[in-house]
């Protein structure tokens, strides 16, 4: 497995692979890798001849009062996960390599970035679209892998590649969970013991919502209320949002007709966690 912090070196590797007729898969991450990331890398390894993993905590997608400085980092641990998953190249640039001194260009998206996470994180998806565009231009992959854990991000990236005619297949991958149902996340490390137990309420409340839909409930308002009530049974929780929207265009709806995305963001103490389910 190769490791580089330099854009030029990534290009060199990929150019050589393409010359040899090899296909290239790409998994963008912010590091502090866990089994969720590993599942994406393993899928990419299965589908492609060569796999690039980027590890970059992108300052542009964090708001002023968000956790950019505290975001967990452990590059040695990340290298081990990538090696075990049989990645071929890690790209771990510094912010100066990605943005230089004068950076004036952004990739932004309207409509589907405005709701859900976009409401409380207004600059987030501009940062995501910009960095992912840059990474796509650097790596030039055939396929790129994104987790359904960040369902809005998956929808946004798919739409961006369509709108901008990027010739890259975007592959969505299922959510990997802890044994008690909590979606794996680098941010779970912020949770103390008590918060960690409380955090299971995200998946639990979504499951109760799903049961009511599968039982025939069609009212978005009613299912949202059921999920909210379940979350609020747990002390120390604050709801950022509970939403049910059309999948994958994220349009608001009143009546549940598949395909739908049910997505939530909840503060457990100071830690903001997200989870969701999709009914196709
Ligand atoms: P992040 O490092 O949090 O930016 O995540 C990098 C990629 O891994 C994104 O496409 C995430 O959706 C995906 N990912 C994060 N957690 C999980 C998980 N629990 N299951 C599946 N994919 C995940």
């Amino acid at each position: 497995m190769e490791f580089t912090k330099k854009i030029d070196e990534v290009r060199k590797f990929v150019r050589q692979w393409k010359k040899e007729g090899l296909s290239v898969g790409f998994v963008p991450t912010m590091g502090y890798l866990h089994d969720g990331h590993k599942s994406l890398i393993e899928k990419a390894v299965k589908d492609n001849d060569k796999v690039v993993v980027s590890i970059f905590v992108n300052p542009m997608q964090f708001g002023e009062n968000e956790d950019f400085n505290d975001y967990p980092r452990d590059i040695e641990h990340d290298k081990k996960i990538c090696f075990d998953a049989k990645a071929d190249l890690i790209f771990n640039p510094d912010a100066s390599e990605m943005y230089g001194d004068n950076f004036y260009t952004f990739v932004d998206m309207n409509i589907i970035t405005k709701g859900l996470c976009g409401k409380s994180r207004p600059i987030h998806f501009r940062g995501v679209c910009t960095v992912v565009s840059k990474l796509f231009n650097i790596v030039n992959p055939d396929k790129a892998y994104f987790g359904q854990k960040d369902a809005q991000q998956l929808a946004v990236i798919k739409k961006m590649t369509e709108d901008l005619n990027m010739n890259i297949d975007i592959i969505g991958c299922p959510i990997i969970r802890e044994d008690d149902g909590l979606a794996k996340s680098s941010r779970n490390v912020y949770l103390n013991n008590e918060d960690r137990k409380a955090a299971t309420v995200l998946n639990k409340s979504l499951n109760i919502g799903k049961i009511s839909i599968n039982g025939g409930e069609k009212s978005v308002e009613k299912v949202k209320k059921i999920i909210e009530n379940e979350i609020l049974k747990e002390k120390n929780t604050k709801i950022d949002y509970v939403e049910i929207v059309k999948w994958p265009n994220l349009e608001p709806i009143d009546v549940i007709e598949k395909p739908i995305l049910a997505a939530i963001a909840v503060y457990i103490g100071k830690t903001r966690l997200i989870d969701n389910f999709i009914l196709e």
Side-chain angles (χ1 to χ4, degrees):
M1 186 179 71
E2 304 284 351
F3 177 93
T4 183
K5 298 183 91 61
K6 296 292 166 205
I7 292 169
D8 280 354
E9 287 209 16
V10 176
R11 291 195 197 280
K12 229 184 268 170
F13 280 117
V14 175
R15 217 179 291 132
Q16 181 57 35
W17 293 337
K18 296 248 160 142
K19 219 158 73 188
E20 293 168 24
L22 302 175
S23 61
V24 178
F26 177 45
V27 183
T29 81
M30 298 206 299
Y32 213 70
L33 303 181
H34 50 64
D35 286 349
H37 301 109
K38 195 173 179 197
S39 73
L40 268 56
I41 302 169
E42 286 171 342
K43 169 88 173 119
V45 166
K46 216 180 265 172
D47 292 354
N48 300 275
D49 298 316
K50 295 286 179 183
V51 170
V52 182
V53 179
S54 66
I55 296 175
F56 178 56
V57 185
N58 174 34
M60 198 190 279
Q61 70 192 61
F62 287 79
E64 253 177 41
N65 297 319
E66 294 181 2
D67 58 344
F68 174 70
N69 286 322
D70 295 335
Y71 197 83
R73 293 156 169 94
D74 185 348
I75 192 68
E76 291 311 315
H77 165 82
D78 291 348
K79 281 181 184 170
K80 187 171 179 321
I81 299 234
C82 290
F83 182 82
D84 290 347
K86 302 195 162 51
D88 296 281
L89 171 63
I90 295 176
F91 176 44
N92 175 223
D94 292 330
S96 56
E97 178 76 359
M98 289 298 277
Y99 295 117
D101 286 337
N102 301 305
F103 191 86
Y104 301 143
T105 307
F106 298 93
V107 181
D108 208 351
M109 187 179 294
N110 212 337
I111 312 291
I112 71 172
T113 57
K114 299 300 175 200
L116 308 177
C117 288
K119 229 181 214 164
S120 59
R121 307 189 73 191
I123 61 148
H124 176 66
F125 288 108
R126 185 176 83 154
V128 169
C129 287
T130 303
V131 80
V132 172
S133 300
K134 283 169 68 65
L135 290 166
F136 282 178
N137 284 334
I138 293 163
V139 177
N140 189 21
D142 300 290
K143 293 186 166 76
Y145 296 78
F146 291 84
Q148 189 204 304
K149 160 83 189 336
D150 300 88
Q152 187 175 17
Q153 172 175 274
L154 173 60
V156 164
I157 297 295
K158 271 198 173 152
K159 186 80 178 94
M160 179 182 80
T161 55
E162 274 170 38
D163 285 357
L164 298 183
N165 309 97
M166 294 172 163
N167 195 14
I168 299 170
D169 282 344
I170 304 302
I171 315 290
C173 301
I175 302 175
I176 305 298
R177 298 178 180 281
E178 303 285 356
D179 289 342
D180 62 6
L182 176 65
K184 297 219 180 206
S185 164
S186 308
R187 288 188 168 97
N188 290 349
V189 73
Y190 296 148
L191 302 168
N192 63 27
N193 283 344
E194 203 180 316
D195 290 346
R196 173 64 187 78
K197 275 184 215 143
T200 57
V201 78
L202 278 90
N203 183 235
K204 235 184 273 165
S205 63
L206 282 170
N207 281 339
I208 287 170
K210 198 191 291 179
I211 288 167
S212 82
I213 294 172
N214 288 338
E217 182 56 67
K218 290 264 177 219
S219 159
V220 163
E221 238 7 84
K222 279 191 188 153
V223 177
K224 276 169 61 171
K225 213 65 241 135
I226 288 169
I227 295 171
E228 283 166 7
N229 287 341
E230 194 61 30
I231 294 168
L232 294 174
K233 278 186 197 164
E234 191 63 58
K235 280 184 292 188
N236 213 14
T237 55
K238 199 178 98 200
I239 294 174
D240 179 3
Y241 67 79
V242 171
E243 292 288 357
I244 298 174
V245 294
K246 206 78 192 163
W247 176 258
N249 64 15
L250 312 188
E251 264 173 25
I253 46 171
D254 296 321
V255 178
I256 292 172
E257 271 170 46
K258 295 172 194 176
I260 56 114
L261 164 71
I264 63 178
V266 178
Y267 286 92
I268 308 288
K270 286 200 169 107
T271 306
R272 183 179 176 279
L273 299 176
I274 57 173
D275 202 349
N276 69 79
F277 66 81
I278 291 171
L279 295 177
E280 297 279 5

